[in-house]
Amino acid sequence: MRLSPTRDNRRHVSPDDQTLPLINIAFLLLIFFLLAGTLLPPSPFEVSELQLAEGVPGRDDQLRLLIAQDGRIAFGGAIIDRDAIAPELFAELQGPLSVHVDARAEAQMIVDLLRLLSQNGVVEVRLIGADVGVR
Amino acid sequence: MNIPAVRRRGRKLVAITPLIDVVFILLFFFMLASRFDQWRAMDLSLSATAGTAPSTSESRVVRVRAGGQVQWQDDWLAPAELVVLLRPADASVALLLQPLPGTPIQDLVSVMEAIRADGRHPVSLAVGR
């Protein structure tokens, strides 16, 4: 009785069959990154996120307002001027406006900006920050 | 005479090597472009702070300075101490936080979180006019 494979049997193992486990793993990783991550437009400036301990678990939004430390603002991935804030800008908005504020920004400047937003039809904003857990 | 080779039985319909090339490129793209941050959200209603009168009957302006301290009469306190001092007070008193110049937004938000965590007093930002 011969148990070792003959030359004839080995010929049917193609290199493709050996890469199948590899491609299985690659597909699993691909699906994981597709589902677990969120794709966002890159920020035009650096925003050091707020640290929030309380609050509901947030979600990132494509239509978000970014506020830099020096007061520059960006909406939907592009830097805009303060004069460009108009009710038409937020026409597509459903629900609260997601706002990412630089944690080092001056509070009075943010309050002034919030007032400007409320004068332009924004009823509710949602400050988004990094989850630091319960302090 | 050149006889064409007989097509091998069981030959793969899709070539694996180009497929895995493309899958790896997609995998690297999503690995590098995705963000996995855990976010928290704090909702702020602008209608109450936009200069219209607050719905509650009484409100009290509380000043906040850098370092996350709040003013209570002549003293500067940590938000946790303010919350304890406010306990006997009427719970319907709304607190309007007013940041002093030079206060980072992080300190203001931390104070707001501390008062909201206590859950007794509605708190919002004093926007003024």
PDB file of all heavy atoms in Angstrom, chain A residues 49-55 103 129-135, chain B residues 40 42 67-68 79-80 104-117:
ATOM      1  N   GLU A  49      -9.430  67.746  19.086  1.00  0.00           N
ATOM      2  CA  GLU A  49     -10.818  67.457  19.456  1.00  0.00           C
ATOM      3  C   GLU A  49     -11.098  67.767  20.930  1.00  0.00           C
ATOM      4  O   GLU A  49     -10.223  67.640  21.784  1.00  0.00           O
ATOM      5  CB  GLU A  49     -11.136  65.990  19.199  1.00  0.00           C
ATOM      6  CG  GLU A  49     -10.975  65.566  17.764  1.00  0.00           C
ATOM      7  CD  GLU A  49     -12.046  66.128  16.838  1.00  0.00           C
ATOM      8  OE1 GLU A  49     -13.045  66.683  17.334  1.00  0.00           O
ATOM      9  OE2 GLU A  49     -11.874  66.013  15.617  1.00  0.00           O
ATOM     10  N   LEU A  50     -12.333  68.144  21.192  1.00  0.00           N
ATOM     11  CA  LEU A  50     -12.806  68.307  22.558  1.00  0.00           C
ATOM     12  C   LEU A  50     -12.772  66.956  23.265  1.00  0.00           C
ATOM     13  O   LEU A  50     -12.930  65.912  22.639  1.00  0.00           O
ATOM     14  CB  LEU A  50     -14.260  68.787  22.551  1.00  0.00           C
ATOM     15  CG  LEU A  50     -14.582  70.247  22.345  1.00  0.00           C
ATOM     16  CD1 LEU A  50     -16.098  70.400  22.336  1.00  0.00           C
ATOM     17  CD2 LEU A  50     -14.002  71.086  23.450  1.00  0.00           C
ATOM     18  N   GLN A  51     -12.589  67.004  24.569  1.00  0.00           N
ATOM     19  CA  GLN A  51     -12.658  65.774  25.365  1.00  0.00           C
ATOM     20  C   GLN A  51     -14.011  65.760  26.073  1.00  0.00           C
ATOM     21  O   GLN A  51     -14.294  66.638  26.881  1.00  0.00           O
ATOM     22  CB  GLN A  51     -11.540  65.760  26.411  1.00  0.00           C
ATOM     23  CG  GLN A  51     -10.169  66.029  25.830  1.00  0.00           C
ATOM     24  CD  GLN A  51      -9.569  64.783  25.218  1.00  0.00           C
ATOM     25  OE1 GLN A  51      -9.408  63.778  25.882  1.00  0.00           O
ATOM     26  NE2 GLN A  51      -9.263  64.842  23.938  1.00  0.00           N
ATOM     27  N   LEU A  52     -14.819  64.795  25.734  1.00  0.00           N
ATOM     28  CA  LEU A  52     -16.151  64.702  26.346  1.00  0.00           C
ATOM     29  C   LEU A  52     -16.250  63.408  27.139  1.00  0.00           C
ATOM     30  O   LEU A  52     -15.875  62.345  26.659  1.00  0.00           O
ATOM     31  CB  LEU A  52     -17.244  64.731  25.277  1.00  0.00           C
ATOM     32  CG  LEU A  52     -17.434  66.019  24.480  1.00  0.00           C
ATOM     33  CD1 LEU A  52     -18.553  65.852  23.477  1.00  0.00           C
ATOM     34  CD2 LEU A  52     -17.748  67.178  25.400  1.00  0.00           C
ATOM     35  N   ALA A  53     -16.751  63.532  28.357  1.00  0.00           N
ATOM     36  CA  ALA A  53     -16.922  62.343  29.191  1.00  0.00           C
ATOM     37  C   ALA A  53     -18.375  61.896  29.209  1.00  0.00           C
ATOM     38  O   ALA A  53     -18.667  60.711  29.333  1.00  0.00           O
ATOM     39  CB  ALA A  53     -16.446  62.625  30.614  1.00  0.00           C
ATOM     40  N   GLU A  54     -19.273  62.869  29.131  1.00  0.00           N
ATOM     41  CA  GLU A  54     -20.699  62.543  29.158  1.00  0.00           C
ATOM     42  C   GLU A  54     -21.231  62.599  27.735  1.00  0.00           C
ATOM     43  O   GLU A  54     -20.490  62.671  26.783  1.00  0.00           O
ATOM     44  CB  GLU A  54     -21.451  63.569  30.025  1.00  0.00           C
ATOM     45  CG  GLU A  54     -20.836  63.821  31.365  1.00  0.00           C
ATOM     46  CD  GLU A  54     -21.133  62.726  32.344  1.00  0.00           C
ATOM     47  OE1 GLU A  54     -22.155  62.034  32.163  1.00  0.00           O
ATOM     48  OE2 GLU A  54     -20.353  62.537  33.280  1.00  0.00           O
ATOM     49  N   GLY A  55     -22.525  62.590  27.647  1.00  0.00           N
ATOM     50  CA  GLY A  55     -23.122  62.771  26.327  1.00  0.00           C
ATOM     51  C   GLY A  55     -23.354  61.460  25.632  1.00  0.00           C
ATOM     52  O   GLY A  55     -22.793  60.427  25.969  1.00  0.00           O
ATOM     53  N   ALA A 103     -10.378  72.312  20.858  1.00  0.00           N
ATOM     54  CA  ALA A 103     -10.535  72.425  22.310  1.00  0.00           C
ATOM     55  C   ALA A 103      -9.858  73.667  22.870  1.00  0.00           C
ATOM     56  O   ALA A 103     -10.216  74.150  23.941  1.00  0.00           O
ATOM     57  CB  ALA A 103      -9.990  71.174  22.999  1.00  0.00           C
ATOM     58  N   GLY A 129     -16.978  65.428  20.239  1.00  0.00           N
ATOM     59  CA  GLY A 129     -15.664  65.351  20.852  1.00  0.00           C
ATOM     60  C   GLY A 129     -15.236  63.920  21.024  1.00  0.00           C
ATOM     61  O   GLY A 129     -16.036  62.991  20.863  1.00  0.00           O
ATOM     62  N   ALA A 130     -13.971  63.752  21.365  1.00  0.00           N
ATOM     63  CA  ALA A 130     -13.444  62.400  21.573  1.00  0.00           C
ATOM     64  C   ALA A 130     -13.937  61.869  22.910  1.00  0.00           C
ATOM     65  O   ALA A 130     -14.037  62.602  23.891  1.00  0.00           O
ATOM     66  CB  ALA A 130     -11.935  62.435  21.529  1.00  0.00           C
ATOM     67  N   ASP A 131     -14.247  60.596  22.924  1.00  0.00           N
ATOM     68  CA  ASP A 131     -14.734  59.945  24.146  1.00  0.00           C
ATOM     69  C   ASP A 131     -13.560  59.675  25.063  1.00  0.00           C
ATOM     70  O   ASP A 131     -12.632  58.971  24.707  1.00  0.00           O
ATOM     71  CB  ASP A 131     -15.419  58.630  23.733  1.00  0.00           C
ATOM     72  CG  ASP A 131     -16.011  57.909  24.916  1.00  0.00           C
ATOM     73  OD1 ASP A 131     -16.054  58.516  25.997  1.00  0.00           O
ATOM     74  OD2 ASP A 131     -16.435  56.764  24.740  1.00  0.00           O
ATOM     75  N   VAL A 132     -13.604  60.268  26.267  1.00  0.00           N
ATOM     76  CA  VAL A 132     -12.510  60.015  27.210  1.00  0.00           C
ATOM     77  C   VAL A 132     -12.952  59.096  28.341  1.00  0.00           C
ATOM     78  O   VAL A 132     -12.196  58.848  29.266  1.00  0.00           O
ATOM     79  CB  VAL A 132     -11.962  61.334  27.818  1.00  0.00           C
ATOM     80  CG1 VAL A 132     -11.197  62.089  26.784  1.00  0.00           C
ATOM     81  CG2 VAL A 132     -13.058  62.167  28.407  1.00  0.00           C
ATOM     82  N   GLY A 133     -14.185  58.615  28.264  1.00  0.00           N
ATOM     83  CA  GLY A 133     -14.677  57.752  29.337  1.00  0.00           C
ATOM     84  C   GLY A 133     -15.068  58.572  30.538  1.00  0.00           C
ATOM     85  O   GLY A 133     -14.968  59.797  30.539  1.00  0.00           O
ATOM     86  N   VAL A 134     -15.500  57.896  31.598  1.00  0.00           N
ATOM     87  CA  VAL A 134     -15.975  58.609  32.782  1.00  0.00           C
ATOM     88  C   VAL A 134     -14.767  59.031  33.602  1.00  0.00           C
ATOM     89  O   VAL A 134     -13.877  58.241  33.888  1.00  0.00           O
ATOM     90  CB  VAL A 134     -16.905  57.704  33.620  1.00  0.00           C
ATOM     91  CG1 VAL A 134     -17.348  58.425  34.875  1.00  0.00           C
ATOM     92  CG2 VAL A 134     -18.088  57.301  32.782  1.00  0.00           C
ATOM     93  N   ARG A 135     -14.728  60.343  33.901  1.00  0.00           N
ATOM     94  CA  ARG A 135     -13.592  60.847  34.687  1.00  0.00           C
ATOM     95  C   ARG A 135     -13.869  60.688  36.163  1.00  0.00           C
ATOM     96  O   ARG A 135     -14.990  60.682  36.595  1.00  0.00           O
ATOM     97  CB  ARG A 135     -13.358  62.307  34.357  1.00  0.00           C
ATOM     98  CG  ARG A 135     -12.483  62.452  33.130  1.00  0.00           C
ATOM     99  CD  ARG A 135     -12.318  63.892  32.739  1.00  0.00           C
ATOM    100  NE  ARG A 135     -13.560  64.429  32.211  1.00  0.00           N
ATOM    101  CZ  ARG A 135     -13.652  65.599  31.595  1.00  0.00           C
ATOM    102  NH1 ARG A 135     -12.596  66.318  31.411  1.00  0.00           N
ATOM    103  NH2 ARG A 135     -14.805  66.042  31.143  1.00  0.00           N
TER     104      ARG A 135
ATOM    105  N   ARG B  40     -18.239  61.319  21.152  1.00  0.00           N
ATOM    106  CA  ARG B  40     -19.359  61.636  22.035  1.00  0.00           C
ATOM    107  C   ARG B  40     -19.946  62.945  21.539  1.00  0.00           C
ATOM    108  O   ARG B  40     -19.250  63.754  20.940  1.00  0.00           O
ATOM    109  CB  ARG B  40     -18.914  61.774  23.488  1.00  0.00           C
ATOM    110  CG  ARG B  40     -18.518  60.462  24.080  1.00  0.00           C
ATOM    111  CD  ARG B  40     -19.028  60.299  25.491  1.00  0.00           C
ATOM    112  NE  ARG B  40     -18.872  58.922  25.895  1.00  0.00           N
ATOM    113  CZ  ARG B  40     -19.886  58.124  26.153  1.00  0.00           C
ATOM    114  NH1 ARG B  40     -21.121  58.564  26.089  1.00  0.00           N
ATOM    115  NH2 ARG B  40     -19.685  56.883  26.519  1.00  0.00           N
ATOM    116  N   MET B  42     -22.512  66.359  22.382  1.00  0.00           N
ATOM    117  CA  MET B  42     -23.232  67.181  23.346  1.00  0.00           C
ATOM    118  C   MET B  42     -24.177  68.082  22.563  1.00  0.00           C
ATOM    119  O   MET B  42     -23.732  68.886  21.748  1.00  0.00           O
ATOM    120  CB  MET B  42     -22.253  68.008  24.159  1.00  0.00           C
ATOM    121  CG  MET B  42     -22.942  68.924  25.124  1.00  0.00           C
ATOM    122  SD  MET B  42     -21.807  70.102  25.831  1.00  0.00           S
ATOM    123  CE  MET B  42     -21.566  69.365  27.417  1.00  0.00           C
ATOM    124  N   GLY B  67      -9.467  77.294  33.355  1.00  0.00           N
ATOM    125  CA  GLY B  67      -9.222  76.335  34.425  1.00  0.00           C
ATOM    126  C   GLY B  67     -10.504  75.643  34.843  1.00  0.00           C
ATOM    127  O   GLY B  67     -10.484  74.746  35.686  1.00  0.00           O
ATOM    128  N   GLY B  68     -11.638  76.062  34.257  1.00  0.00           N
ATOM    129  CA  GLY B  68     -12.905  75.406  34.524  1.00  0.00           C
ATOM    130  C   GLY B  68     -13.505  75.762  35.871  1.00  0.00           C
ATOM    131  O   GLY B  68     -14.219  74.960  36.468  1.00  0.00           O
ATOM    132  N   PRO B  79     -16.755  73.107  39.391  1.00  0.00           N
ATOM    133  CA  PRO B  79     -18.165  72.845  39.077  1.00  0.00           C
ATOM    134  C   PRO B  79     -18.834  71.881  40.044  1.00  0.00           C
ATOM    135  O   PRO B  79     -20.020  72.040  40.370  1.00  0.00           O
ATOM    136  CB  PRO B  79     -18.126  72.252  37.664  1.00  0.00           C
ATOM    137  CG  PRO B  79     -16.764  72.388  37.175  1.00  0.00           C
ATOM    138  CD  PRO B  79     -15.882  72.892  38.243  1.00  0.00           C
ATOM    139  N   ALA B  80     -18.072  70.899  40.555  1.00  0.00           N
ATOM    140  CA  ALA B  80     -18.657  69.931  41.495  1.00  0.00           C
ATOM    141  C   ALA B  80     -19.100  70.629  42.772  1.00  0.00           C
ATOM    142  O   ALA B  80     -20.142  70.297  43.353  1.00  0.00           O
ATOM    143  CB  ALA B  80     -17.653  68.834  41.798  1.00  0.00           C
ATOM    144  N   PRO B 104     -10.694  78.715  27.418  1.00  0.00           N
ATOM    145  CA  PRO B 104     -10.805  77.786  26.288  1.00  0.00           C
ATOM    146  C   PRO B 104     -12.164  77.077  26.310  1.00  0.00           C
ATOM    147  O   PRO B 104     -12.748  76.882  27.376  1.00  0.00           O
ATOM    148  CB  PRO B 104      -9.666  76.794  26.505  1.00  0.00           C
ATOM    149  CG  PRO B 104      -9.007  77.160  27.758  1.00  0.00           C
ATOM    150  CD  PRO B 104      -9.741  78.268  28.418  1.00  0.00           C
ATOM    151  N   ILE B 105     -12.629  76.718  25.120  1.00  0.00           N
ATOM    152  CA  ILE B 105     -13.950  76.094  25.013  1.00  0.00           C
ATOM    153  C   ILE B 105     -13.995  74.769  25.777  1.00  0.00           C
ATOM    154  O   ILE B 105     -15.029  74.377  26.297  1.00  0.00           O
ATOM    155  CB  ILE B 105     -14.350  75.926  23.523  1.00  0.00           C
ATOM    156  CG1 ILE B 105     -15.771  75.399  23.358  1.00  0.00           C
ATOM    157  CG2 ILE B 105     -13.391  75.030  22.785  1.00  0.00           C
ATOM    158  CD1 ILE B 105     -16.844  76.389  23.650  1.00  0.00           C
ATOM    159  N   GLN B 106     -12.823  74.105  25.889  1.00  0.00           N
ATOM    160  CA  GLN B 106     -12.802  72.832  26.624  1.00  0.00           C
ATOM    161  C   GLN B 106     -13.247  73.024  28.073  1.00  0.00           C
ATOM    162  O   GLN B 106     -14.003  72.218  28.608  1.00  0.00           O
ATOM    163  CB  GLN B 106     -11.387  72.238  26.577  1.00  0.00           C
ATOM    164  CG  GLN B 106     -11.212  70.967  27.391  1.00  0.00           C
ATOM    165  CD  GLN B 106     -11.950  69.787  26.789  1.00  0.00           C
ATOM    166  OE1 GLN B 106     -11.623  69.333  25.721  1.00  0.00           O
ATOM    167  NE2 GLN B 106     -12.972  69.292  27.478  1.00  0.00           N
ATOM    168  N   ASP B 107     -12.786  74.109  28.710  1.00  0.00           N
ATOM    169  CA  ASP B 107     -13.149  74.343  30.107  1.00  0.00           C
ATOM    170  C   ASP B 107     -14.637  74.618  30.237  1.00  0.00           C
ATOM    171  O   ASP B 107     -15.295  74.137  31.168  1.00  0.00           O
ATOM    172  CB  ASP B 107     -12.342  75.530  30.663  1.00  0.00           C
ATOM    173  CG  ASP B 107     -10.872  75.184  30.807  1.00  0.00           C
ATOM    174  OD1 ASP B 107     -10.553  73.980  30.789  1.00  0.00           O
ATOM    175  OD2 ASP B 107     -10.051  76.112  30.921  1.00  0.00           O
ATOM    176  N   LEU B 108     -15.175  75.391  29.290  1.00  0.00           N
ATOM    177  CA  LEU B 108     -16.599  75.702  29.326  1.00  0.00           C
ATOM    178  C   LEU B 108     -17.427  74.430  29.160  1.00  0.00           C
ATOM    179  O   LEU B 108     -18.413  74.206  29.882  1.00  0.00           O
ATOM    180  CB  LEU B 108     -16.920  76.700  28.208  1.00  0.00           C
ATOM    181  CG  LEU B 108     -18.347  77.218  28.156  1.00  0.00           C
ATOM    182  CD1 LEU B 108     -18.639  78.077  29.356  1.00  0.00           C
ATOM    183  CD2 LEU B 108     -18.585  78.011  26.882  1.00  0.00           C
ATOM    184  N   VAL B 109     -16.998  73.583  28.226  1.00  0.00           N
ATOM    185  CA  VAL B 109     -17.741  72.351  27.959  1.00  0.00           C
ATOM    186  C   VAL B 109     -17.653  71.406  29.166  1.00  0.00           C
ATOM    187  O   VAL B 109     -18.630  70.742  29.524  1.00  0.00           O
ATOM    188  CB  VAL B 109     -17.203  71.701  26.663  1.00  0.00           C
ATOM    189  CG1 VAL B 109     -17.676  70.279  26.522  1.00  0.00           C
ATOM    190  CG2 VAL B 109     -17.643  72.509  25.456  1.00  0.00           C
ATOM    191  N   SER B 110     -16.486  71.379  29.816  1.00  0.00           N
ATOM    192  CA  SER B 110     -16.333  70.509  30.985  1.00  0.00           C
ATOM    193  C   SER B 110     -17.262  70.941  32.112  1.00  0.00           C
ATOM    194  O   SER B 110     -17.861  70.100  32.790  1.00  0.00           O
ATOM    195  CB  SER B 110     -14.883  70.526  31.476  1.00  0.00           C
ATOM    196  OG  SER B 110     -14.031  70.054  30.471  1.00  0.00           O
ATOM    197  N   VAL B 111     -17.370  72.272  32.320  1.00  0.00           N
ATOM    198  CA  VAL B 111     -18.279  72.786  33.346  1.00  0.00           C
ATOM    199  C   VAL B 111     -19.716  72.401  32.999  1.00  0.00           C
ATOM    200  O   VAL B 111     -20.490  71.940  33.856  1.00  0.00           O
ATOM    201  CB  VAL B 111     -18.136  74.319  33.458  1.00  0.00           C
ATOM    202  CG1 VAL B 111     -19.241  74.901  34.313  1.00  0.00           C
ATOM    203  CG2 VAL B 111     -16.784  74.682  34.026  1.00  0.00           C
ATOM    204  N   MET B 112     -20.052  72.555  31.725  1.00  0.00           N
ATOM    205  CA  MET B 112     -21.399  72.226  31.279  1.00  0.00           C
ATOM    206  C   MET B 112     -21.703  70.740  31.512  1.00  0.00           C
ATOM    207  O   MET B 112     -22.792  70.387  31.968  1.00  0.00           O
ATOM    208  CB  MET B 112     -21.488  72.533  29.791  1.00  0.00           C
ATOM    209  CG  MET B 112     -22.800  73.092  29.382  1.00  0.00           C
ATOM    210  SD  MET B 112     -22.580  73.829  27.774  1.00  0.00           S
ATOM    211  CE  MET B 112     -24.245  74.214  27.447  1.00  0.00           C
ATOM    212  N   GLU B 113     -20.726  69.898  31.225  1.00  0.00           N
ATOM    213  CA  GLU B 113     -20.913  68.461  31.434  1.00  0.00           C
ATOM    214  C   GLU B 113     -21.126  68.156  32.903  1.00  0.00           C
ATOM    215  O   GLU B 113     -21.974  67.335  33.252  1.00  0.00           O
ATOM    216  CB  GLU B 113     -19.666  67.699  30.963  1.00  0.00           C
ATOM    217  CG  GLU B 113     -19.597  67.500  29.481  1.00  0.00           C
ATOM    218  CD  GLU B 113     -18.559  66.466  29.118  1.00  0.00           C
ATOM    219  OE1 GLU B 113     -17.463  66.508  29.688  1.00  0.00           O
ATOM    220  OE2 GLU B 113     -18.857  65.608  28.278  1.00  0.00           O
ATOM    221  N   ALA B 114     -20.340  68.821  33.766  1.00  0.00           N
ATOM    222  CA  ALA B 114     -20.444  68.537  35.198  1.00  0.00           C
ATOM    223  C   ALA B 114     -21.826  68.914  35.718  1.00  0.00           C
ATOM    224  O   ALA B 114     -22.411  68.189  36.532  1.00  0.00           O
ATOM    225  CB  ALA B 114     -19.358  69.296  35.953  1.00  0.00           C
ATOM    226  N   ILE B 115     -22.355  70.057  35.262  1.00  0.00           N
ATOM    227  CA  ILE B 115     -23.672  70.487  35.743  1.00  0.00           C
ATOM    228  C   ILE B 115     -24.770  69.610  35.144  1.00  0.00           C
ATOM    229  O   ILE B 115     -25.735  69.256  35.823  1.00  0.00           O
ATOM    230  CB  ILE B 115     -23.894  71.979  35.426  1.00  0.00           C
ATOM    231  CG1 ILE B 115     -22.846  72.820  36.159  1.00  0.00           C
ATOM    232  CG2 ILE B 115     -25.288  72.420  35.834  1.00  0.00           C
ATOM    233  CD1 ILE B 115     -22.832  74.270  35.795  1.00  0.00           C
ATOM    234  N   ARG B 116     -24.593  69.229  33.886  1.00  0.00           N
ATOM    235  CA  ARG B 116     -25.582  68.346  33.253  1.00  0.00           C
ATOM    236  C   ARG B 116     -25.573  66.965  33.902  1.00  0.00           C
ATOM    237  O   ARG B 116     -26.606  66.314  33.995  1.00  0.00           O
ATOM    238  CB  ARG B 116     -25.302  68.197  31.765  1.00  0.00           C
ATOM    239  CG  ARG B 116     -25.843  69.348  30.966  1.00  0.00           C
ATOM    240  CD  ARG B 116     -25.837  69.045  29.480  1.00  0.00           C
ATOM    241  NE  ARG B 116     -26.386  70.173  28.743  1.00  0.00           N
ATOM    242  CZ  ARG B 116     -26.468  70.237  27.427  1.00  0.00           C
ATOM    243  NH1 ARG B 116     -26.026  69.225  26.700  1.00  0.00           N
ATOM    244  NH2 ARG B 116     -26.991  71.279  26.838  1.00  0.00           N
ATOM    245  N   ALA B 117     -24.388  66.506  34.339  1.00  0.00           N
ATOM    246  CA  ALA B 117     -24.285  65.176  34.955  1.00  0.00           C
ATOM    247  C   ALA B 117     -25.070  65.141  36.246  1.00  0.00           C
ATOM    248  O   ALA B 117     -25.634  64.108  36.624  1.00  0.00           O
ATOM    249  CB  ALA B 117     -22.819  64.841  35.204  1.00  0.00           C
TER     250      ALA B 117
END
